[in-house]
Each structure stands twice: as C-alpha cells, then as structure tokens.
Amino acid sequence: MRWAVVLLLASSCLDLNPRGEFCGDDEGEARTGLTWHTDIAPLMARKCMSCHRAGGNAPMELTTFTQVDALKTVVRDAVETRRMPPWPPAPCCAEYENPAALTTEERRLMLSWIDDGASEGTVAAAPMVPERAVLDANVTLTMPEAYTPVATFNAEDTRCFLLETGFTETQYVTGIDIKPGVRDQMHHSLVLTVASSDVKKLQDLDAESAEPGWSCPGGLLGSIKSGLGGSFFEPQRFEGKGFRVDPGDRVVLTMHYSLPASGGFKSDVTSVELKTQTEAVTPIVTLSVYNPSWLVGGMPIPENAPSTRFSWADAPGRLAGAATFDLHAVNLHMHERGKKGGVWILREDGTRECLLQINAWDHAWQGDYRFASSIRLKPRDRLLVDCEFDNTASKQRVIGGVPQSPRWLNWGEDQEMCVGFVTATLVTE
Ligand code: HEC
C-alpha cells in the first residue's frame, strides 16, 4: 500500500511515460482570381522547379503551365497533404533556417488556383529558378570506386560508402555540400563521421559485399560520431561552429538512390565537399534520444497493428554531468512503417517545447532541420522522442516487385527504430 502511494507520487511528479504533444497547422484563407503567370509560376519557381525541371532529381518536370495543368490533380494532392515540397516538419512546431515548405499562404494559393479551375492568365516571361548556393570548399572526398545502384526494394537502394579523409591533424568541418555523380538518381544523401575505433567493423561490412560499399537501409546507429548533415536543398554552413574530425576518423556517405523516371540506374561516383579548418571552433556534438531497453526487445510492434506508439525522455545534460547545451538542428529516424513522430524538450517544469513534428512520416525523406535560432537546453530539461508506427500491409517494403507481408517487428536494422537526433554545442559560460 505504502509503495503504491510512493509510486503514484513519483510518477505524477516525474512523468514516467511522457508523450509528445502534437500541434495543428493553420489552413489559411481561400483566394480567388489567381492565374498561372501572375501567381503560381513565380511561386513554383521558388519552391518546386529546382527539382522538377530537366536534370533535376524529381521524376517529372513542372515548369510550364501545360505540364502543371496536366498534372493538377496529383499536384493538388501533394500540396494538400504537404508531401511536397519534401519538407516533412510541421510548420506549427518550430522555426527553421531556410524552410523549403510552402508557407500557409503559399499552400492556400496553390490549392485555391487549382480549385478555381487553374487559369493560365496573360502570358508573361518564365520566372527565374533560383540558383543553388555554392560552398567555398577546400576538401573534396570522392567515392573510392564507381557504384551502380540496384533496385533492392521500393525501386530504391540505400548504400553506405566509407571515405578516407587523409587528415593528418584534427580538423573542424564548418560547411558541407554533396556533389552527386548522377543527379536524377540521387534521391537524397546523409553524411556522417565515425570514430577510428568503429572503422574496422565498417570495413568488414564493406568487404563482405562484392560491390563497393554496403547496403544500409537501417542507418548506422551505434557507429555514428556525428551527423554532418543531409544533402537535398542547400549546402550547409555552421558559422563559427564545427564538427571535430580527428585523424583516423572516417566519413560515411549514405546514398539514397531512387530509380530515375527513365533509363535505369547508371554508374555513380559522388563527392562530399567540406569546408574545414585546423583552428578550433566550438565543437558540434550529436545527442541521440531513445530508450535503451528498446534495443533489447523492448519495442514490439504487432503485425497488422495500425498504430503502435513509443516515447521516451532523457536528459543529455544529466548524462554529461549537468551540462547546458545550445541546440542547433534536429532529425528523427524511423524506417518504413513510421507513421508520425516528433522530438520535444520536456522542460523541468513539465512543459513541452516542440523541436520537430512530422505528421506523415516518409522514410525516403530524412534530413537535418536547422533551427532559425539556437534553443537552450538546461541541465534538468529532457529531450523527448515519440514515434507512432503503422504495421499494416500498406506500409511494407516491396522487394523485387513483391510487397512483403506484415510481421511482428521490434528494434533492428531490418525492422524498426525510433531515435531523435539533435546537434548541439556545449555551453561553457
Ligand atoms: C527537393 C526536391 C523537390 C522539390 C523542391 C519538390 N519536389 Fe515534388 N518530387 C520530388 C521527388 C524526388 C519526387 C518523387 C517522389 C518522392 O520521392 O517523394 C517528387 C514527386 C512529386 C509529385 C508526384 C508524387 C506525389 O508525391 O504526388 C508531385 C505532384 C510533386 N512532386 C509536386 C511538387 C510541387 C507542387 C512542389 C512545390 C510546391 C514540389 N513537388 C517540390 C522532389 C521535389
């Protein structure tokens, strides 16, 4: 009896099974009198055409009225569900640097234009598609051998390549960009560093496969020293901060290849461009949040269950000896059956602050989302991750054209995962 009271008290103060609090997005006001040339073409040039043009990484061109008009039903659906542009974070959660998403007003413009009959309007000059920014890189790391992707499942191939840095002294990476060998088959890519102590394990994986690199659809959890960033929008610059890379560390390039609209896969040699310096800058670290018991069978997901949810909160500050951190970017990792999820700060007083909320998880679009300004994490604050899975038939992998049947899942490279990653700097003052 006494124990029950103590437990009840403890759980009410500590919030032993904290859940995320999901926010709702603003739908905006419908508009009328819109035309392609005046309203939509300039908007799509900014938000869609960098990918949806000849040589871009999207499967179809959406640069002219005729092209968009012919596809307006699918375009409407992609915009309505916020699947496109591929910027999964919910706008109601946090503010990010260079968000690629449509604003509430832009989304409403696109939907209203289509709902109103998609009028062309008076012909005007085609709008300019903004050029991608250029990184002033001083180091280029290139895949050691060419690799021709193979459609392993869902017409995709996720492959990891170990890159030698050749660094003879410690360097700080302050910027990164990725130069795909074949643009229209690189869906996206992620770049990580691994410590020298983990290199042998990864070399063995590489050696096990006859082709260059190794298949890594489940990611690299357990071997990551830091996540340098993802590729698909602009080069990244870390302004005054940097990822420390020691001699002997390696860079891992994770390529997510997707079959181009025509022509099949081609041989690829992709490069990672880095801006580095030897002079020390504030080091960026990657904090990860997941329940350690999930790794030992503690994340059972029943077959055919439409919704199974797991959450966990932990204080990286406590683990690092009452440290305070400034948080700069966030990322969530699940596999194909992920449905919805997010990462929050659970403040000492029990309030939640949203860092990332993804309402419709798409395994194929993962990246780092950098905050518009850094967010302070105090020593007694916790990071909270919440993941919901859908293990029904519609969310299974398609291997060689055959959809796999749902089965019981747990934590594993070829099963499921739920991890929040946050890049941060230690506050020392
Ligand atoms: C970063 C590159 C990128 C940007 C920006 C982008 N797309 Fe896409 N789009 C893709 C890729 C790649 C696909 C193929 C499907 C996938 O991988 O999700 C796609 C697929 C589509 C599809 C067909 C499949 C579906 O999901 O319905 C439509 C329609 C679409 N995009 C519309 C748009 C519109 C409209 C915009 C701008 C508001 C936009 N896209 C911005 C890369 C992009």
Side-chain angles (χ1 to χ4, degrees):
M1 175 62 194
R2 208 165 36 173
W3 274 113
V5 173
V6 173
L7 275 178
L8 255 178
L9 274 176
S11 62
S12 62
C13 316
L14 269 176
D15 200 356
L16 285 179
N17 185 21
R19 290 286 176 100
E21 267 166 18
F22 290 86
C23 54
D25 287 317
D26 189 358
E27 288 297 316
E29 300 283 324
R31 294 270 305 270
T32 53
L34 304 168
T35 68
W36 166 260
H37 289 291
T38 311
D39 307 286
I40 304 303
L43 163 55
M44 289 189 64
R46 281 199 316 279
K47 294 287 176 90
C48 316
M49 293 179 196
S50 57
C51 300
H52 287 275
R53 62 170 157 183
N57 70 335
M60 72 281 209
E61 279 185 52
L62 293 175
T63 53
T64 64
F65 170 74
T66 316
Q67 287 161 350
V68 177
D69 186 52
L71 287 168
K72 58 180 182 270
T73 315
V74 255
V75 168
R76 191 190 189 289
D77 186 61
V79 169
E80 144 88 338
T81 55
R82 296 188 164 88
R83 211 162 54 237
M84 287 288 146
W87 180 264
C92 58
C93 170
E95 278 189 40
Y96 305 98
E97 193 182 284
N98 301 324
L102 298 178
T103 62
T104 302
E105 208 206 330
E106 288 169 338
R107 175 170 170 275
R108 210 63 247 173
L109 280 183
M110 296 257 337
L111 297 177
S112 298
W113 173 67
I114 296 171
D115 292 344
D116 242 14
S119 123
E120 182 175 6
T122 316
V123 175
M128 296 280 289
V129 178
E131 285 298 321
R132 212 168 166 277
V134 176
L135 180 75
D136 45 340
N138 58 314
V139 173
T140 302
L141 307 178
T142 302
M143 276 163 53
E145 288 172 81
Y147 173 69
T148 305
V150 183
T152 344
F153 58 82
N154 303 356
E156 289 159 17
D157 186 356
T158 305
R159 194 97 185 158
C160 284
F161 303 94
L162 206 50
L163 309 181
E164 291 224 29
T165 64
F167 294 167
T168 52
E169 54 188 322
T170 295
Q171 299 264 0
Y172 290 84
V173 175
T174 61
I176 177 169
D177 196 13
I178 292 158
K179 288 280 143 74
V182 186
R183 176 109 190 86
D184 68 355
Q185 69 185 23
M186 183 186 82
H187 188 273
H188 70 276
S189 66
L190 299 171
V191 181
L192 315 159
T193 59
V194 293
S196 51
S197 51
D198 284 317
V199 168
K200 170 80 175 65
K201 183 170 73 184
L202 301 179
Q203 278 170 334
D204 289 348
L205 279 175
D206 194 343
E208 269 171 36
S209 155
E211 299 300 321
W214 68 97
S215 171
C216 57
L220 272 185
L221 196 71
S223 312
I224 302 172
K225 178 173 170 182
S226 25
L228 299 188
S231 61
F232 44 88
F233 295 109
E234 294 286 321
Q236 312 225 346
R237 290 191 184 82
F238 310 119
E239 313 299 346
K241 302 183 278 296
F243 290 94
R244 182 183 164 133
V245 182
D246 294 308
D249 291 356
R250 299 286 167 94
V251 166
V252 176
L253 168 66
T254 302
M255 291 292 289
H256 191 117
Y257 297 107
S258 186
L259 260 181
S262 60
F265 280 131
K266 299 186 190 71
S267 164
D268 173 53
V269 181
T270 288
S271 301
V272 176
E273 298 201 327
L274 301 176
K275 186 166 162 55
T276 71
Q277 60 180 69
T278 49
E279 195 189 323
V281 285
T282 311
I284 307 177
V285 295
T286 303
L287 309 172
S288 47
V289 48
Y290 55 89
N291 182 343
S293 81
W294 291 342
L295 276 61
V296 288
M299 207 178 81
I301 307 174
E303 61 184 357
N304 292 313
S307 168
T308 309
R309 200 167 155 191
F310 295 94
S311 60
W312 175 252
D314 211 343
R318 179 175 50 75
L319 301 175
T324 299
F325 290 98
D326 275 336
L327 310 184
H328 306 290
V330 61
N331 184 342
L332 180 66
H333 180 65
M334 295 186 268
H335 299 166
E336 291 84 353
R337 299 74 165 199
K339 181 176 181 183
K340 184 170 180 169
V343 182
W344 290 258
I345 296 177
L346 184 55
R347 296 283 182 201
E348 192 184 352
D349 66 5
T351 54
R352 284 158 181 67
E353 189 172 326
C354 194
L355 298 180
L356 177 67
Q357 174 177 321
I358 297 183
N359 292 326
W361 175 258
D362 180 349
H363 171 248
W365 288 114
Q366 297 187 50
D368 286 311
Y369 308 104
R370 306 222 341 244
F371 304 122
S373 48
S374 65
I375 300 172
R376 180 78 34 114
L377 185 80
K378 307 233 180 64
R380 296 176 67 86
D381 294 339
R382 290 184 286 166
L383 287 173
L384 163 61
V385 66
D386 191 324
C387 299
E388 184 182 352
F389 297 96
D390 172 355
N391 195 12
T392 59
S394 66
K395 296 281 269 185
Q396 306 304 315
R397 293 178 177 175
V398 178
I399 302 181
V402 184
Q404 304 298 291
S405 304
R407 56 183 169 121
W408 272 81
L409 297 168
N410 215 305
W411 184 282
E413 285 272 319
D414 62 343
Q415 302 189 53
E416 271 306 329
M417 290 188 184
C418 168
V419 193
F421 291 105
V422 177
T423 54
T425 47
L426 194 61
V427 178
T428 46
E429 92 258 326

